[in-house]
Amino acid sequence: SMYKLLPILLFAYGLALTTDDIYDNSYALIIGIDKYENVSNLDYAVKDANSIASLLQDNFNFPSKNVTVLLNEEATFTNIRNGLSKVSSSAKANDRVLIYFAGHGETMDLPDGGEMGYLLPIDGKRDNLFATSILMDDLKKISSMTKAKHMLFLIDACYGGLATTGARGLSSTTPNYIDKITNDKSRQIITAGGSDEKVIEKPEWGHSAYTMNLLRALKDGLADANGDGYITAGELGLYLNEKVTIDSENQQTPQSRRLTSHEGEFIFFIH
């Protein structure tokens, strides 16, 4: 139909697409924990979370009423699960959902080999992960429950054992690339590092290596590799993989994955 063609024609004639052409609405759940009850504290997770929440609202058209922020004592096991449930059920078929977590990740070795990844809420316990912490595989389940078109998990924690498909994204030279990535569903995750790595924070940054580079990538548009005015989750993952590895002196390498075989891309427009 003509209606489907219109965004592509506009794009071709240099009137770049906007958020409204691709998404009806945007939702985010932002979690940051510094002051843990049972494990060591972090210095910048709360600051990181606040920075991301502001960035999404100020620069990327996330309405403040759709942005839920859970910090420190608000970020309990129950509140995080409720937040995940609410944000994933609120989103409709033409919406995007972003979930950001800054805090401790933990990896549990399984008896027959393999491992299980967890995100620790403020009340999480290392010696009882299953009962007290957020199972990474549950993020995959939530991503299959939501109607949202595009969903992106930005996880500033190191852990292992996430079941992902490893499906590749489409090349920007693919015919109808912009149409495909904006209309196909996607379920994407970019994590700060693997199971034997640790999150690097530094006072001179005032952030973790991951979130410092995430802010630069988006706020300054540095991840827009091909200069087309928007950043896909794929571009963002490549940028973070390179920059965080350098800044952490190879102690931490972000991983970018797809949770499903969908080939769409979560998109950030740079204004």
Side-chain angles (χ1 to χ4, degrees), residues 193-213:
S195 54
D196 49 355
E197 299 178 354
K198 62 178 194 290
V199 166
I200 308 293
E201 305 179 300
K202 286 189 183 171
E204 62 261 36
W205 301 337
H207 291 290
S208 71
Y210 176 93
T211 298
M212 174 180 69
N213 282 293

Side-chain angles (χ1 to χ4, degrees), residues 47-223:
K47 188 179 169 200
D48 285 344
N50 279 326
S51 300
I52 296 298
S54 300
L55 180 71
L56 295 180
Q57 292 168 84
D58 298 345
N59 298 42
F60 293 103
N61 288 73
F62 280 73
S64 55
K65 68 179 189 329
N66 294 351
V67 178
T68 303
V69 182
L70 299 175
L71 304 173
N72 282 336
E73 62 278 357
E74 300 160 342
T76 60
F77 176 76
T78 306
N79 285 355
I80 292 174
R81 288 199 76 91
N82 282 336
L84 288 167
S85 174
K86 184 169 179 253
V87 75
S88 59
S89 59
S90 299
K92 309 246 181 336
N94 206 36
D95 297 345
R96 64 176 165 174
V97 174
L98 186 146
I99 291 164
Y100 170 91
F101 176 89
H104 280 300
E106 199 58 45
T107 306
M108 189 169 95
D109 291 323
L110 301 174
D112 295 334
E115 50 190 22
M116 229 173 215
Y118 289 89
L119 300 180
L120 265 65
I122 186 138
D123 45 355
K125 293 185 176 146
R126 282 212 170 102
D127 58 358
N128 196 0
L129 289 168
F130 184 80
T132 66
S133 299
I134 307 294
L135 187 61
M136 287 305 300
D137 287 349
D138 283 349
L139 298 189
K140 187 167 178 163
K141 291 192 174 68
I142 278 166
S143 82
S144 64
M145 284 159 49
T146 181
K147 292 191 181 91
K149 179 163 69 172
H150 296 158
M151 189 171 205
L152 177 60
F153 295 92
L154 297 172
I155 308 293
D156 194 354
C158 294
Y159 61 87
L162 179 65
T164 55
T165 64
R168 298 182 70 85
L170 296 171
S171 155
S172 57
T173 57
T174 307
N176 299 338
Y177 171 74
I178 186 72
D179 197 33
K180 287 194 172 102
I181 64 167
T182 55
N183 288 310
D184 283 8
K185 278 180 119 171
S186 70
R187 301 289 183 263
Q188 292 161 285
I189 183 165
I190 308 171
T191 66
S195 54
D196 49 355
E197 299 178 354
K198 62 178 194 290
V199 166
I200 308 293
E201 305 179 300
K202 286 189 183 171
E204 62 261 36
W205 301 337
H207 291 290
S208 71
Y210 176 93
T211 298
M212 174 180 69
N213 282 293
L214 181 56
L215 291 164
R216 286 178 184 167
L218 295 175
K219 189 181 278 181
D220 306 331
L222 297 181

Side-chain angles (χ1 to χ4, degrees), residues 201-251:
E201 305 179 300
K202 286 189 183 171
E204 62 261 36
W205 301 337
H207 291 290
S208 71
Y210 176 93
T211 298
M212 174 180 69
N213 282 293
L214 181 56
L215 291 164
R216 286 178 184 167
L218 295 175
K219 189 181 278 181
D220 306 331
L222 297 181
D224 181 11
N226 58 358
D228 57 11
Y230 59 88
I231 294 169
T232 63
E235 285 179 311
L236 183 58
L238 289 170
Y239 180 87
L240 291 172
N241 177 282
E242 181 192 350
K243 301 298 182 195
V244 175
T245 302
I246 294 166
D247 284 341
S248 69
E249 293 163 355
N250 298 318
Q251 293 180 78

Side-chain angles (χ1 to χ4, degrees), residues 16-26 59-62 94 96 267-271:
L17 292 166
T18 67
T19 306
D20 294 343
D21 295 319
I22 293 183
Y23 302 120
D24 292 342
N25 218 334
S26 302
N59 298 42
F60 293 103
N61 288 73
F62 280 73
N94 206 36
R96 64 176 165 174
I267 292 177
F268 297 93
F269 287 92
I270 311 162
H271 299 302

